[in-house]
Amino acid sequence: MNLVARWWLDEQPKDWVIENECILSCEPSDQPTQLILTPACHDIQVNGGGGIGFTNDTLGVADVRRVVELHQLRGTASFFPTVITASHRTLLHSLRTLREACEADPKIASACPGLHLEGPAISAEDGYRGAHPKEHARAFDWNEFCQLQEASGGRIRLVTVAPEVDGTMRNIQNLVESGVRVALGHTAARPAELREAIQMGARLCTHFGNGLPTLMDRHQNPLWTMLAEDGLHLSLIADGHHLPHDLFRVACRVKKNRVVLISDASSFAGATPGRYNDWGSEIDVLENGRVQLANSPYLAGSGLFLCDCVSWASKHGQRFQDAIRAATMTPRELFDWPHPTTWLLWDEASRMTKNLDATRVVESVQYVKAYD
């Protein structure tokens, strides 16, 4: 099979030779085409999907498999299952189940190369806490983290913390030295505390512009410091609800290649409008796709998938190439992973059309050189 599609970096049309869903070679083409070939997405923050949440006392291996299949059908080849603030018992169960799923099925293990622990050492203050249950926000306990890491089989690769919470600051370096990336989020920290956390090794802001109260000091708030610090990447939820267009554009202009697009997909990703229960709370899915805590303005994750976010971002402040990089290459570079081997086809309107497994890409594709 031959396919003519533009290469995502230079937008030049190429004739791709494909056999058994694998790209074998490519040559320049003079044929016009609306198709664009890109790497498949990698999402470092997925809470669930299809009515299944990863932070759940009843989570089973079959549930994990269903969420993996759902996201892969929507163009996310791999992602970090994200477990949020909960009781110690619930965290242990969720992480053990994710471990069992990865050990039971190599496809799940490949799709889930790491886990994201968001909390429980986050601010308990309203607004900063977001949809995380207040009763379970607590101090950072290194012994507890070690138990959770053991339950996961060593798969926790990313931890979101608030540096002002007791025990957090002194353990950031411990996390980094153990091979875990540290993100700052759901935090009411002062600028000096944020800078100290970055000096200690924090490298990412989790869902920048969210996990914050509606009213804050116009100058002394986490946003400015996170934008100003060059050593900090920002993860952005580009779903049209979590960030206004202008703030999204400013964040992209300031951070450039240090932007990571995420879906923050909740268990309600793709759900029909209505009221649901998750995370011990009532959740509303509105007609416009917004997911929020019932009877409040606070968001509770996203109802979209990462490809939807790439499409939104490319229409509201990012070039398509930059949005693709932020959803594919930048998160891989942040976690020192090899280049992707799975590809997507998009049409001119940035809608995914097909997955392509490229585990046998030959040298003539020259994708490694292109990424340099």
Side-chain angles (χ1 to χ4, degrees), residues 229-261:
E229 287 295 323
D230 290 338
L232 201 67
H233 284 62
L234 303 184
S235 70
L236 306 178
I237 309 171
D239 66 346
H241 301 293
H242 282 79
L243 291 174
H245 302 170
D246 288 346
L247 182 54
F248 177 78
R249 292 170 64 192
V250 167
C252 290
R253 289 178 182 179
V254 171
K255 290 297 183 176
K256 298 180 181 177
N257 63 351
R258 294 189 299 278
V259 167
V260 177
L261 292 185

PDB file of all heavy atoms in Angstrom, residues 229-261:
ATOM      1  N   GLU A 229       9.912  31.029  35.638  1.00  0.00           N
ATOM      2  CA  GLU A 229      11.023  30.116  35.884  1.00  0.00           C
ATOM      3  C   GLU A 229      11.335  29.278  34.636  1.00  0.00           C
ATOM      4  O   GLU A 229      10.540  28.428  34.227  1.00  0.00           O
ATOM      5  CB  GLU A 229      10.713  29.200  37.067  1.00  0.00           C
ATOM      6  CG  GLU A 229      10.765  29.896  38.413  1.00  0.00           C
ATOM      7  CD  GLU A 229      12.173  30.383  38.752  1.00  0.00           C
ATOM      8  OE1 GLU A 229      13.138  29.674  38.424  1.00  0.00           O
ATOM      9  OE2 GLU A 229      12.290  31.461  39.346  1.00  0.00           O
ATOM     10  N   ASP A 230      12.507  29.502  34.054  1.00  0.00           N
ATOM     11  CA  ASP A 230      12.876  28.804  32.821  1.00  0.00           C
ATOM     12  C   ASP A 230      13.042  27.301  33.009  1.00  0.00           C
ATOM     13  O   ASP A 230      12.912  26.536  32.054  1.00  0.00           O
ATOM     14  CB  ASP A 230      14.180  29.385  32.258  1.00  0.00           C
ATOM     15  CG  ASP A 230      14.003  30.789  31.721  1.00  0.00           C
ATOM     16  OD1 ASP A 230      12.851  31.156  31.401  1.00  0.00           O
ATOM     17  OD2 ASP A 230      15.005  31.529  31.624  1.00  0.00           O
ATOM     18  N   GLY A 231      13.335  26.859  34.235  1.00  0.00           N
ATOM     19  CA  GLY A 231      13.559  25.441  34.461  1.00  0.00           C
ATOM     20  C   GLY A 231      12.290  24.625  34.593  1.00  0.00           C
ATOM     21  O   GLY A 231      12.360  23.414  34.831  1.00  0.00           O
ATOM     22  N   LEU A 232      11.140  25.271  34.445  1.00  0.00           N
ATOM     23  CA  LEU A 232       9.866  24.591  34.687  1.00  0.00           C
ATOM     24  C   LEU A 232       9.086  24.431  33.384  1.00  0.00           C
ATOM     25  O   LEU A 232       8.848  25.387  32.663  1.00  0.00           O
ATOM     26  CB  LEU A 232       9.026  25.401  35.683  1.00  0.00           C
ATOM     27  CG  LEU A 232       7.916  24.660  36.431  1.00  0.00           C
ATOM     28  CD1 LEU A 232       8.494  23.629  37.381  1.00  0.00           C
ATOM     29  CD2 LEU A 232       7.041  25.651  37.201  1.00  0.00           C
ATOM     30  N   HIS A 233       8.707  23.179  33.064  1.00  0.00           N
ATOM     31  CA  HIS A 233       7.761  22.917  31.990  1.00  0.00           C
ATOM     32  C   HIS A 233       6.336  23.166  32.520  1.00  0.00           C
ATOM     33  O   HIS A 233       6.099  23.060  33.728  1.00  0.00           O
ATOM     34  CB  HIS A 233       7.851  21.467  31.520  1.00  0.00           C
ATOM     35  CG  HIS A 233       9.028  21.156  30.664  1.00  0.00           C
ATOM     36  ND1 HIS A 233      10.332  21.273  31.105  1.00  0.00           N
ATOM     37  CD2 HIS A 233       9.107  20.722  29.376  1.00  0.00           C
ATOM     38  CE1 HIS A 233      11.156  20.917  30.130  1.00  0.00           C
ATOM     39  NE2 HIS A 233      10.445  20.580  29.078  1.00  0.00           N
ATOM     40  N   LEU A 234       5.435  23.462  31.624  1.00  0.00           N
ATOM     41  CA  LEU A 234       4.027  23.608  31.984  1.00  0.00           C
ATOM     42  C   LEU A 234       3.210  22.552  31.261  1.00  0.00           C
ATOM     43  O   LEU A 234       3.349  22.371  30.050  1.00  0.00           O
ATOM     44  CB  LEU A 234       3.479  24.978  31.578  1.00  0.00           C
ATOM     45  CG  LEU A 234       4.147  26.238  32.105  1.00  0.00           C
ATOM     46  CD1 LEU A 234       3.363  27.463  31.634  1.00  0.00           C
ATOM     47  CD2 LEU A 234       4.251  26.224  33.630  1.00  0.00           C
ATOM     48  N   SER A 235       2.351  21.836  31.988  1.00  0.00           N
ATOM     49  CA  SER A 235       1.351  21.021  31.311  1.00  0.00           C
ATOM     50  C   SER A 235       0.069  21.849  31.219  1.00  0.00           C
ATOM     51  O   SER A 235      -0.327  22.521  32.172  1.00  0.00           O
ATOM     52  CB  SER A 235       1.112  19.689  32.027  1.00  0.00           C
ATOM     53  OG  SER A 235       0.449  19.850  33.264  1.00  0.00           O
ATOM     54  N   LEU A 236      -0.548  21.815  30.042  1.00  0.00           N
ATOM     55  CA  LEU A 236      -1.730  22.630  29.752  1.00  0.00           C
ATOM     56  C   LEU A 236      -2.872  21.734  29.284  1.00  0.00           C
ATOM     57  O   LEU A 236      -2.674  20.872  28.424  1.00  0.00           O
ATOM     58  CB  LEU A 236      -1.427  23.654  28.656  1.00  0.00           C
ATOM     59  CG  LEU A 236      -0.234  24.592  28.860  1.00  0.00           C
ATOM     60  CD1 LEU A 236      -0.076  25.498  27.642  1.00  0.00           C
ATOM     61  CD2 LEU A 236      -0.408  25.424  30.121  1.00  0.00           C
ATOM     62  N   ILE A 237      -4.060  21.958  29.839  1.00  0.00           N
ATOM     63  CA  ILE A 237      -5.258  21.244  29.396  1.00  0.00           C
ATOM     64  C   ILE A 237      -5.938  22.110  28.339  1.00  0.00           C
ATOM     65  O   ILE A 237      -6.586  23.106  28.662  1.00  0.00           O
ATOM     66  CB  ILE A 237      -6.225  20.969  30.563  1.00  0.00           C
ATOM     67  CG1 ILE A 237      -5.508  20.312  31.741  1.00  0.00           C
ATOM     68  CG2 ILE A 237      -7.383  20.092  30.084  1.00  0.00           C
ATOM     69  CD1 ILE A 237      -6.364  20.205  32.991  1.00  0.00           C
ATOM     70  N   ALA A 238      -5.797  21.724  27.087  1.00  0.00           N
ATOM     71  CA  ALA A 238      -6.320  22.532  25.982  1.00  0.00           C
ATOM     72  C   ALA A 238      -7.671  21.990  25.544  1.00  0.00           C
ATOM     73  O   ALA A 238      -7.819  21.437  24.445  1.00  0.00           O
ATOM     74  CB  ALA A 238      -5.326  22.531  24.821  1.00  0.00           C
ATOM     75  N   ASP A 239      -8.666  22.146  26.421  1.00  0.00           N
ATOM     76  CA  ASP A 239      -9.999  21.628  26.098  1.00  0.00           C
ATOM     77  C   ASP A 239     -11.040  22.722  25.936  1.00  0.00           C
ATOM     78  O   ASP A 239     -12.226  22.424  25.728  1.00  0.00           O
ATOM     79  CB  ASP A 239     -10.457  20.635  27.171  1.00  0.00           C
ATOM     80  CG  ASP A 239     -10.689  21.285  28.529  1.00  0.00           C
ATOM     81  OD1 ASP A 239     -10.260  22.442  28.728  1.00  0.00           O
ATOM     82  OD2 ASP A 239     -11.293  20.631  29.408  1.00  0.00           O
ATOM     83  N   GLY A 240     -10.611  23.993  26.038  1.00  0.00           N
ATOM     84  CA  GLY A 240     -11.554  25.091  25.901  1.00  0.00           C
ATOM     85  C   GLY A 240     -12.274  25.453  27.180  1.00  0.00           C
ATOM     86  O   GLY A 240     -13.045  26.428  27.196  1.00  0.00           O
ATOM     87  N   HIS A 241     -12.054  24.705  28.259  1.00  0.00           N
ATOM     88  CA  HIS A 241     -12.715  24.977  29.533  1.00  0.00           C
ATOM     89  C   HIS A 241     -11.717  25.308  30.637  1.00  0.00           C
ATOM     90  O   HIS A 241     -11.983  26.163  31.481  1.00  0.00           O
ATOM     91  CB  HIS A 241     -13.553  23.768  29.966  1.00  0.00           C
ATOM     92  CG  HIS A 241     -14.600  23.377  28.990  1.00  0.00           C
ATOM     93  ND1 HIS A 241     -15.693  24.173  28.704  1.00  0.00           N
ATOM     94  CD2 HIS A 241     -14.725  22.285  28.199  1.00  0.00           C
ATOM     95  CE1 HIS A 241     -16.448  23.589  27.790  1.00  0.00           C
ATOM     96  NE2 HIS A 241     -15.879  22.430  27.471  1.00  0.00           N
ATOM     97  N   HIS A 242     -10.575  24.647  30.645  1.00  0.00           N
ATOM     98  CA  HIS A 242      -9.615  24.824  31.732  1.00  0.00           C
ATOM     99  C   HIS A 242      -8.800  26.103  31.615  1.00  0.00           C
ATOM    100  O   HIS A 242      -8.311  26.623  32.621  1.00  0.00           O
ATOM    101  CB  HIS A 242      -8.672  23.618  31.809  1.00  0.00           C
ATOM    102  CG  HIS A 242      -9.280  22.428  32.473  1.00  0.00           C
ATOM    103  ND1 HIS A 242     -10.149  21.580  31.831  1.00  0.00           N
ATOM    104  CD2 HIS A 242      -9.149  21.943  33.732  1.00  0.00           C
ATOM    105  CE1 HIS A 242     -10.533  20.630  32.669  1.00  0.00           C
ATOM    106  NE2 HIS A 242      -9.932  20.819  33.828  1.00  0.00           N
ATOM    107  N   LEU A 243      -8.601  26.593  30.416  1.00  0.00           N
ATOM    108  CA  LEU A 243      -7.825  27.817  30.217  1.00  0.00           C
ATOM    109  C   LEU A 243      -8.514  28.706  29.193  1.00  0.00           C
ATOM    110  O   LEU A 243      -8.933  28.219  28.137  1.00  0.00           O
ATOM    111  CB  LEU A 243      -6.409  27.492  29.710  1.00  0.00           C
ATOM    112  CG  LEU A 243      -5.445  26.802  30.666  1.00  0.00           C
ATOM    113  CD1 LEU A 243      -4.174  26.436  29.929  1.00  0.00           C
ATOM    114  CD2 LEU A 243      -5.135  27.694  31.858  1.00  0.00           C
ATOM    115  N   PRO A 244      -8.604  30.009  29.465  1.00  0.00           N
ATOM    116  CA  PRO A 244      -9.098  30.920  28.428  1.00  0.00           C
ATOM    117  C   PRO A 244      -8.074  31.039  27.306  1.00  0.00           C
ATOM    118  O   PRO A 244      -6.876  30.800  27.513  1.00  0.00           O
ATOM    119  CB  PRO A 244      -9.271  32.249  29.179  1.00  0.00           C
ATOM    120  CG  PRO A 244      -8.335  32.155  30.329  1.00  0.00           C
ATOM    121  CD  PRO A 244      -8.283  30.706  30.718  1.00  0.00           C
ATOM    122  N   HIS A 245      -8.547  31.407  26.136  1.00  0.00           N
ATOM    123  CA  HIS A 245      -7.666  31.477  24.963  1.00  0.00           C
ATOM    124  C   HIS A 245      -6.441  32.330  25.211  1.00  0.00           C
ATOM    125  O   HIS A 245      -5.310  31.950  24.859  1.00  0.00           O
ATOM    126  CB  HIS A 245      -8.430  32.037  23.753  1.00  0.00           C
ATOM    127  CG  HIS A 245      -9.634  31.228  23.386  1.00  0.00           C
ATOM    128  ND1 HIS A 245     -10.567  31.660  22.466  1.00  0.00           N
ATOM    129  CD2 HIS A 245     -10.062  30.014  23.815  1.00  0.00           C
ATOM    130  CE1 HIS A 245     -11.514  30.743  22.349  1.00  0.00           C
ATOM    131  NE2 HIS A 245     -11.240  29.752  23.154  1.00  0.00           N
ATOM    132  N   ASP A 246      -6.634  33.498  25.811  1.00  0.00           N
ATOM    133  CA  ASP A 246      -5.519  34.429  25.971  1.00  0.00           C
ATOM    134  C   ASP A 246      -4.437  33.864  26.884  1.00  0.00           C
ATOM    135  O   ASP A 246      -3.243  33.987  26.593  1.00  0.00           O
ATOM    136  CB  ASP A 246      -6.010  35.776  26.517  1.00  0.00           C
ATOM    137  CG  ASP A 246      -6.794  36.572  25.481  1.00  0.00           C
ATOM    138  OD1 ASP A 246      -6.726  36.213  24.286  1.00  0.00           O
ATOM    139  OD2 ASP A 246      -7.476  37.546  25.859  1.00  0.00           O
ATOM    140  N   LEU A 247      -4.840  33.258  28.010  1.00  0.00           N
ATOM    141  CA  LEU A 247      -3.840  32.694  28.923  1.00  0.00           C
ATOM    142  C   LEU A 247      -3.121  31.524  28.260  1.00  0.00           C
ATOM    143  O   LEU A 247      -1.905  31.359  28.426  1.00  0.00           O
ATOM    144  CB  LEU A 247      -4.508  32.249  30.224  1.00  0.00           C
ATOM    145  CG  LEU A 247      -3.575  31.674  31.298  1.00  0.00           C
ATOM    146  CD1 LEU A 247      -2.448  32.646  31.619  1.00  0.00           C
ATOM    147  CD2 LEU A 247      -4.352  31.315  32.562  1.00  0.00           C
ATOM    148  N   PHE A 248      -3.844  30.725  27.500  1.00  0.00           N
ATOM    149  CA  PHE A 248      -3.208  29.619  26.786  1.00  0.00           C
ATOM    150  C   PHE A 248      -2.157  30.151  25.814  1.00  0.00           C
ATOM    151  O   PHE A 248      -1.032  29.643  25.744  1.00  0.00           O
ATOM    152  CB  PHE A 248      -4.263  28.804  26.032  1.00  0.00           C
ATOM    153  CG  PHE A 248      -3.688  27.678  25.218  1.00  0.00           C
ATOM    154  CD1 PHE A 248      -3.299  26.499  25.824  1.00  0.00           C
ATOM    155  CD2 PHE A 248      -3.524  27.811  23.843  1.00  0.00           C
ATOM    156  CE1 PHE A 248      -2.759  25.458  25.088  1.00  0.00           C
ATOM    157  CE2 PHE A 248      -2.983  26.776  23.098  1.00  0.00           C
ATOM    158  CZ  PHE A 248      -2.606  25.604  23.713  1.00  0.00           C
ATOM    159  N   ARG A 249      -2.484  31.180  25.074  1.00  0.00           N
ATOM    160  CA  ARG A 249      -1.550  31.742  24.096  1.00  0.00           C
ATOM    161  C   ARG A 249      -0.321  32.323  24.784  1.00  0.00           C
ATOM    162  O   ARG A 249       0.814  32.144  24.321  1.00  0.00           O
ATOM    163  CB  ARG A 249      -2.247  32.813  23.265  1.00  0.00           C
ATOM    164  CG  ARG A 249      -3.321  32.260  22.337  1.00  0.00           C
ATOM    165  CD  ARG A 249      -4.132  33.371  21.716  1.00  0.00           C
ATOM    166  NE  ARG A 249      -3.301  34.209  20.841  1.00  0.00           N
ATOM    167  CZ  ARG A 249      -3.706  35.376  20.363  1.00  0.00           C
ATOM    168  NH1 ARG A 249      -4.905  35.859  20.695  1.00  0.00           N
ATOM    169  NH2 ARG A 249      -2.922  36.068  19.569  1.00  0.00           N
ATOM    170  N   VAL A 250      -0.534  33.024  25.893  1.00  0.00           N
ATOM    171  CA  VAL A 250       0.598  33.607  26.622  1.00  0.00           C
ATOM    172  C   VAL A 250       1.518  32.511  27.134  1.00  0.00           C
ATOM    173  O   VAL A 250       2.751  32.589  27.013  1.00  0.00           O
ATOM    174  CB  VAL A 250       0.092  34.488  27.784  1.00  0.00           C
ATOM    175  CG1 VAL A 250       1.240  34.840  28.735  1.00  0.00           C
ATOM    176  CG2 VAL A 250      -0.546  35.766  27.248  1.00  0.00           C
ATOM    177  N   ALA A 251       0.942  31.449  27.732  1.00  0.00           N
ATOM    178  CA  ALA A 251       1.755  30.356  28.266  1.00  0.00           C
ATOM    179  C   ALA A 251       2.582  29.707  27.157  1.00  0.00           C
ATOM    180  O   ALA A 251       3.769  29.400  27.352  1.00  0.00           O
ATOM    181  CB  ALA A 251       0.859  29.320  28.943  1.00  0.00           C
ATOM    182  N   CYS A 252       1.990  29.515  25.992  1.00  0.00           N
ATOM    183  CA  CYS A 252       2.719  28.906  24.876  1.00  0.00           C
ATOM    184  C   CYS A 252       3.839  29.816  24.376  1.00  0.00           C
ATOM    185  O   CYS A 252       4.935  29.350  24.039  1.00  0.00           O
ATOM    186  CB  CYS A 252       1.758  28.579  23.733  1.00  0.00           C
ATOM    187  SG  CYS A 252       0.620  27.230  24.093  1.00  0.00           S
ATOM    188  N   ARG A 253       3.583  31.107  24.333  1.00  0.00           N
ATOM    189  CA  ARG A 253       4.610  32.041  23.861  1.00  0.00           C
ATOM    190  C   ARG A 253       5.774  32.138  24.840  1.00  0.00           C
ATOM    191  O   ARG A 253       6.933  32.248  24.436  1.00  0.00           O
ATOM    192  CB  ARG A 253       3.992  33.420  23.642  1.00  0.00           C
ATOM    193  CG  ARG A 253       3.061  33.491  22.443  1.00  0.00           C
ATOM    194  CD  ARG A 253       2.449  34.865  22.296  1.00  0.00           C
ATOM    195  NE  ARG A 253       1.513  34.907  21.173  1.00  0.00           N
ATOM    196  CZ  ARG A 253       0.817  35.969  20.831  1.00  0.00           C
ATOM    197  NH1 ARG A 253       0.944  37.105  21.524  1.00  0.00           N
ATOM    198  NH2 ARG A 253      -0.015  35.931  19.801  1.00  0.00           N
ATOM    199  N   VAL A 254       5.476  32.099  26.129  1.00  0.00           N
ATOM    200  CA  VAL A 254       6.531  32.217  27.135  1.00  0.00           C
ATOM    201  C   VAL A 254       7.354  30.937  27.207  1.00  0.00           C
ATOM    202  O   VAL A 254       8.592  30.971  27.226  1.00  0.00           O
ATOM    203  CB  VAL A 254       5.928  32.552  28.514  1.00  0.00           C
ATOM    204  CG1 VAL A 254       6.989  32.446  29.602  1.00  0.00           C
ATOM    205  CG2 VAL A 254       5.318  33.952  28.504  1.00  0.00           C
ATOM    206  N   LYS A 255       6.692  29.792  27.253  1.00  0.00           N
ATOM    207  CA  LYS A 255       7.382  28.524  27.487  1.00  0.00           C
ATOM    208  C   LYS A 255       7.870  27.846  26.209  1.00  0.00           C
ATOM    209  O   LYS A 255       8.789  27.028  26.250  1.00  0.00           O
ATOM    210  CB  LYS A 255       6.464  27.574  28.263  1.00  0.00           C
ATOM    211  CG  LYS A 255       6.243  27.990  29.707  1.00  0.00           C
ATOM    212  CD  LYS A 255       7.555  27.982  30.495  1.00  0.00           C
ATOM    213  CE  LYS A 255       7.320  28.322  31.952  1.00  0.00           C
ATOM    214  NZ  LYS A 255       8.555  28.236  32.759  1.00  0.00           N
ATOM    215  N   LYS A 256       7.236  28.119  25.085  1.00  0.00           N
ATOM    216  CA  LYS A 256       7.655  27.578  23.786  1.00  0.00           C
ATOM    217  C   LYS A 256       7.791  26.057  23.834  1.00  0.00           C
ATOM    218  O   LYS A 256       6.806  25.354  23.947  1.00  0.00           O
ATOM    219  CB  LYS A 256       8.943  28.265  23.346  1.00  0.00           C
ATOM    220  CG  LYS A 256       8.762  29.770  23.149  1.00  0.00           C
ATOM    221  CD  LYS A 256      10.033  30.456  22.719  1.00  0.00           C
ATOM    222  CE  LYS A 256       9.795  31.953  22.565  1.00  0.00           C
ATOM    223  NZ  LYS A 256      11.020  32.689  22.208  1.00  0.00           N
ATOM    224  N   ASN A 257       9.023  25.531  23.750  1.00  0.00           N
ATOM    225  CA  ASN A 257       9.189  24.071  23.694  1.00  0.00           C
ATOM    226  C   ASN A 257       9.145  23.415  25.075  1.00  0.00           C
ATOM    227  O   ASN A 257       9.471  22.233  25.209  1.00  0.00           O
ATOM    228  CB  ASN A 257      10.489  23.711  22.981  1.00  0.00           C
ATOM    229  CG  ASN A 257      11.717  24.221  23.710  1.00  0.00           C
ATOM    230  OD1 ASN A 257      11.609  24.991  24.658  1.00  0.00           O
ATOM    231  ND2 ASN A 257      12.892  23.800  23.276  1.00  0.00           N
ATOM    232  N   ARG A 258       8.743  24.161  26.104  1.00  0.00           N
ATOM    233  CA  ARG A 258       8.580  23.579  27.437  1.00  0.00           C
ATOM    234  C   ARG A 258       7.098  23.442  27.795  1.00  0.00           C
ATOM    235  O   ARG A 258       6.731  23.419  28.971  1.00  0.00           O
ATOM    236  CB  ARG A 258       9.327  24.408  28.488  1.00  0.00           C
ATOM    237  CG  ARG A 258      10.840  24.388  28.312  1.00  0.00           C
ATOM    238  CD  ARG A 258      11.568  25.027  29.477  1.00  0.00           C
ATOM    239  NE  ARG A 258      11.218  26.426  29.649  1.00  0.00           N
ATOM    240  CZ  ARG A 258      11.742  27.430  28.957  1.00  0.00           C
ATOM    241  NH1 ARG A 258      12.641  27.174  28.026  1.00  0.00           N
ATOM    242  NH2 ARG A 258      11.384  28.676  29.183  1.00  0.00           N
ATOM    243  N   VAL A 259       6.255  23.358  26.776  1.00  0.00           N
ATOM    244  CA  VAL A 259       4.823  23.128  26.960  1.00  0.00           C
ATOM    245  C   VAL A 259       4.518  21.651  26.712  1.00  0.00           C
ATOM    246  O   VAL A 259       4.986  21.068  25.732  1.00  0.00           O
ATOM    247  CB  VAL A 259       3.990  24.000  26.000  1.00  0.00           C
ATOM    248  CG1 VAL A 259       2.531  23.542  25.956  1.00  0.00           C
ATOM    249  CG2 VAL A 259       4.057  25.462  26.416  1.00  0.00           C
ATOM    250  N   VAL A 260       3.744  21.052  27.621  1.00  0.00           N
ATOM    251  CA  VAL A 260       3.276  19.674  27.470  1.00  0.00           C
ATOM    252  C   VAL A 260       1.751  19.710  27.457  1.00  0.00           C
ATOM    253  O   VAL A 260       1.138  20.151  28.434  1.00  0.00           O
ATOM    254  CB  VAL A 260       3.759  18.777  28.626  1.00  0.00           C
ATOM    255  CG1 VAL A 260       3.196  17.370  28.487  1.00  0.00           C
ATOM    256  CG2 VAL A 260       5.280  18.752  28.689  1.00  0.00           C
ATOM    257  N   LEU A 261       1.146  19.286  26.355  1.00  0.00           N
ATOM    258  CA  LEU A 261      -0.309  19.211  26.316  1.00  0.00           C
ATOM    259  C   LEU A 261      -0.777  17.930  27.005  1.00  0.00           C
ATOM    260  O   LEU A 261      -0.191  16.863  26.826  1.00  0.00           O
ATOM    261  CB  LEU A 261      -0.814  19.233  24.875  1.00  0.00           C
ATOM    262  CG  LEU A 261      -0.637  20.535  24.095  1.00  0.00           C
ATOM    263  CD1 LEU A 261      -1.299  20.413  22.723  1.00  0.00           C
ATOM    264  CD2 LEU A 261      -1.208  21.732  24.843  1.00  0.00           C
TER     265      LEU A 261
END
